[in-house]
């Protein structure tokens, strides 16, 4: 098939193909039949109108246009295979995204000419990534878990199983209390200054300085009025430097009943025969957590160091896709806050375009890192198994909280390809980690 190629840059080519009229002519009856199936023509059932009737009804150019589209679709893969074999033999040729097809010449008796613009994955000139990986991995340092950290985790375990018991006595620091209160300034209750059955732990310092001290000693049912001078540097600027009047009613006082640290408590946590077994489990868990955190740091440091020494032209299409992904991630994160994306943009006083301008360097970095991992995987012959891909798919589903009914509506091919990339990257990292 006669064609020419315009290599705009390393990330895009345009193929101009020319087709003799003799090759297009046999497709005209099929094109007319297809148009007949989609067009109401009086006196004929759909798909049964003769060629001449269709031509008179729709015009000859429409038939030629349909024939050209069919020819292009039927020969698309063949043309790409020919281009790859002749122009890119032994080189990378990986189209990405949707091709843009334009018919540039079409007339009865004349040759067909059309252009296909293809975004391509760029050529990646990798540095000595093995040497870089060794250098970065040599910086591995996992800090030891201290006894203080272990004790803090054990204290949290006891705190998480603490019960609160209602008592008939004055409130003490550390008690859980519930109060009704109102806040006034100049004789008027301030906006947002009232609450009913407000729960908190006395002594945590969640209120104005001095507020919780005034509640110490109060029993359930008791009321109290008091005045506080707010410090001029208080974090809530609308209160700073003012004198506020409070009226509080103690509704509930509960003391903490923390379980004793003994073997009985250890057994209540699960399959632990003693407190020593719990302590070992906690210590081992902290070590595993710390090692996992250091592994993630080393992985990111390794691929960033490799990317910094990698030469590659970043396709605009991939950057655009990454920006759209970042936008979707932000939209998903603001929804649980009860905000629309438009409200969020108004709150931060920025447009979507301004955000994308800020994100572009990060998007380009993320794309380059993905391309580097892909290139290393190809060079090293990394191929994840079907089990690896399925496991990665399951992790994506769990992470995104995809429900069964949502999964049924997903583009599964796209999901599995995304998971394939995750599984491949995991294997690339594992390969690099073996270079220590």
């Amino acid at each position: 098939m006669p064609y020419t190629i315009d290599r705009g840059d390393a990330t895009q080519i345009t193929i101009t193909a020319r087709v003799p009229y003799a090759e297009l002519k046999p497709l005209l009856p099929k094109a007319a039949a297809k148009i007949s199936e989609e067009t109401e023509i009086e006196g004929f059932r759909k798909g049964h109108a003769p060629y001449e009737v269709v031509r008179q009804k729709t015009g000859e150019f429409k038939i030629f246009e349909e024939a050209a589209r069919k020819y292009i679709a039927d020969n698309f893969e063949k043309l790409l295979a020919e281009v790859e074999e002749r122009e890119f033999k032994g080189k990378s040729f990986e189209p990405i995204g949707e091709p843009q097809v334009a018919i540039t010449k079409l007339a009865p008796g004349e040759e067909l000419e059309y252009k296909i613009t293809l975004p391509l994955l760029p050529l990646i000139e990798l540095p000595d990534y093995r040497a870089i990986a060794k250098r970065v991995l040599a910086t591995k340092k996992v800090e030891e878990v201290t006894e203080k950290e272990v004790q803090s985790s054990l204290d949290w375990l006891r705190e998480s199983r603490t019960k609160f018991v209602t008592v008939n006595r004055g409130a003490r620091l550390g008690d859980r209390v519930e109060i009704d209160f109102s806040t006034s300034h100049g004789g008027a209750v301030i906006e947002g200054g009232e609450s009913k059955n407000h729960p908190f732990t006395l002594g945590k310092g969640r209120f104005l300085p001095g507020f919780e001290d005034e509640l110490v000693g109060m029993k359930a049912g008791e009321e109290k009025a008091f005045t506080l001078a707010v410090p001029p540097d208080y974090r809530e600027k609308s209160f700073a430097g003012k004198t506020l009047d409070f009226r509080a009613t103690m509704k509930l006082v509960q003391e903490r009943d923390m379980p004793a640290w003994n073997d009985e408590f250890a057994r209540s946590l699960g399959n632990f025969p003693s407190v020593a077994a719990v302590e070992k489990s906690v210590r081992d868990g902290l070590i595993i957590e710390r090692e996992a955190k250091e592994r993630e740091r080393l992985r990111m440091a390794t691929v960033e160091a490799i990317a910094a020494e990698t030469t590659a032209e970043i396709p605009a299409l991939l950057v655009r896709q990454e920006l759209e992904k970042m936008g979707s991630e932000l939209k998903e994160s603001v929804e649980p806050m009860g905000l629309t994306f438009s409200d969020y943009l108004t709150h931060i006083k920025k447009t979507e375009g301004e955000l994308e301008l800020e994100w572009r360097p990060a998007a380009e970095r993320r794309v380059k890192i993905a391309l580097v991992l892909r290139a290393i995987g190809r060079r090293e012959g990394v191929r994840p198994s079907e089990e690896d891909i399925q496991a990665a798919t399951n992790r994506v589903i769990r992470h995104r909280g995809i429900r069964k009914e949502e999964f049924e509506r997903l583009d599964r091919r796209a999901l599995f390809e995304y998971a394939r990339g995750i599984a491949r990257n995991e294997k690339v990292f594992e390969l690099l980690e073996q270079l220590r």
Side-chain angles (χ1 to χ4, degrees):
M1 185 185 303
Y3 65 83
T4 57
I5 288 184
D6 177 16
R7 301 172 187 261
D9 56 42
T11 66
Q12 180 175 289
I13 63 167
T14 298
I15 306 168
T16 301
R18 291 172 297 281
V19 182
Y21 176 72
E23 291 186 33
L24 189 65
K25 186 177 179 181
L27 298 178
L28 296 177
K30 293 180 181 179
K34 186 173 188 301
I35 294 171
S36 173
E37 290 173 357
E38 300 170 350
T39 308
E40 292 285 350
I41 299 178
E42 188 176 352
F44 296 92
R45 287 183 293 126
K46 282 190 174 183
H48 289 75
Y51 181 94
E52 283 301 318
V53 173
V54 175
R55 185 180 66 80
Q56 292 172 11
K57 174 70 175 179
T58 64
E60 190 170 38
F61 185 79
K62 185 174 179 63
I63 298 175
F64 274 77
E65 195 174 38
E66 181 61 38
R69 281 198 292 263
K70 178 170 176 52
Y71 181 92
I72 294 169
D74 290 348
N75 291 275
F76 182 79
E77 295 297 335
K78 179 182 176 182
L79 176 59
L80 290 196
E82 189 173 340
V83 169
E84 181 176 11
E85 174 64 23
R86 289 185 177 182
E87 313 293 334
F88 291 86
K89 193 166 186 177
K91 301 178 184 178
S92 173
F93 179 73
E94 297 185 65
I96 54 175
E98 290 296 322
Q100 296 179 356
V101 180
I103 298 172
T104 52
K105 183 180 177 182
L106 181 65
E110 300 289 336
E111 72 173 6
L112 162 68
E113 182 183 274
Y114 63 95
K115 294 180 184 290
I116 299 176
T117 301
L118 279 174
L120 298 177
L121 276 179
L123 291 172
I124 304 293
E125 295 183 22
L126 289 169
D128 186 349
Y129 54 86
R130 286 174 168 261
I132 294 172
K134 284 182 180 180
R135 185 177 72 236
V136 175
L137 292 169
T139 68
K140 179 179 179 180
K141 183 180 180 181
V142 181
E143 294 184 7
E144 292 185 7
V145 173
T146 66
E147 291 304 314
K148 183 178 180 181
E149 289 172 315
V150 174
Q151 189 58 52
S152 177
S153 296
L154 295 175
D155 290 343
W156 178 86
L157 273 176
R158 292 179 68 199
E159 286 280 358
S160 68
R161 284 159 175 76
T162 293
K163 298 177 182 178
F164 290 93
V165 181
T166 302
V167 293
N168 184 24
R169 59 162 172 77
R172 301 170 184 166
L173 296 178
D175 286 345
R176 180 188 180 278
V177 300
E178 291 182 13
I179 63 170
D180 293 347
F181 71 90
S182 63
T183 312
S184 303
H185 177 66
V189 176
I190 64 175
E191 184 178 354
E194 290 183 295
S195 184
K196 298 289 186 181
N197 299 317
H198 193 91
F200 64 100
T201 299
L202 200 56
K204 290 285 188 180
R206 303 290 171 82
F207 287 82
L208 286 169
F211 181 90
E212 294 176 45
D213 295 336
E214 294 287 345
L215 303 180
V216 173
M218 290 181 65
K219 292 183 178 181
E222 292 184 347
E223 296 184 17
K224 186 176 184 179
F226 52 93
T227 300
L228 293 173
V230 184
D233 58 350
Y234 188 62
R235 62 179 181 273
E236 181 55 62
K237 300 304 179 185
S238 60
F239 294 165
K242 294 181 179 179
T243 298
L244 301 179
D245 299 313
F246 294 91
R247 181 170 295 278
T249 302
M250 184 65 68
K251 303 300 292 292
L252 179 70
V253 178
Q254 294 181 319
E255 66 180 13
R256 299 161 71 245
D257 181 15
M258 181 182 287
W261 182 244
N262 53 32
D263 290 348
E264 182 181 352
F265 174 69
R267 287 190 289 272
S268 74
L269 298 175
N271 190 27
F272 298 105
S274 65
V275 293
V278 176
E279 291 172 4
K280 183 180 183 305
S281 177
V282 167
R283 183 177 286 101
D284 290 346
L286 289 172
I287 291 171
I288 291 171
E289 181 182 316
R290 191 151 293 178
E291 288 178 341
K293 185 176 180 180
E294 177 64 0
R295 181 173 61 251
E296 288 306 309
R297 183 194 73 81
L298 287 171
R299 285 184 171 187
M300 186 51 62
T302 298
V303 74
E304 286 183 339
I306 296 170
E309 297 186 33
T310 295
T311 302
E313 291 190 42
I314 308 301
L317 173 66
L318 295 185
V319 175
R320 165 48 44 197
Q321 290 174 347
E322 190 62 36
L323 286 170
E324 289 173 357
K325 180 182 174 184
M326 294 167 77
S328 297
E329 289 170 351
L330 178 60
K331 288 172 184 175
E332 289 176 3
S333 70
V334 302
E335 285 175 0
M337 300 162 55
L339 292 173
T340 65
F341 189 55
S342 177
D343 290 338
Y344 175 78
L345 292 175
T346 301
H347 178 71
I348 64 174
K349 299 178 181 178
K350 290 184 179 178
T351 66
E352 193 166 356
E354 288 171 335
L355 276 182
E356 287 192 354
L357 196 60
E358 290 179 7
W359 292 344
R360 182 166 289 276
E364 291 175 350
R365 169 178 158 273
R366 286 164 67 164
V367 169
K368 190 174 184 181
I369 285 173
L371 291 174
V372 163
L373 289 170
R374 192 175 189 278
I376 294 174
R378 288 194 56 155
R379 182 172 295 185
E380 297 287 345
V382 171
R383 292 183 180 85
S385 67
E386 291 303 314
E387 291 77 9
D388 295 329
I389 297 169
Q390 187 59 58
T393 302
N394 294 339
R395 290 198 299 274
V396 171
I397 291 172
R398 286 196 302 271
H399 177 71
R400 294 184 179 177
I402 299 172
R403 297 187 297 272
K404 183 178 180 181
E405 59 272 21
E406 293 173 321
F407 179 75
E408 296 299 326
R409 297 193 298 269
L410 285 176
D411 181 344
R412 297 190 193 180
R413 182 176 177 276
L415 174 62
F416 290 143
E417 283 305 310
Y418 177 67
R420 185 189 302 277
I422 293 175
R424 180 201 61 229
N425 291 348
E426 178 68 23
K427 285 194 168 296
V428 169
F429 279 124
E430 289 174 358
L431 181 147
L432 294 175
E433 286 165 349
Q434 294 170 7
L435 301 177
R436 281 197 282 268

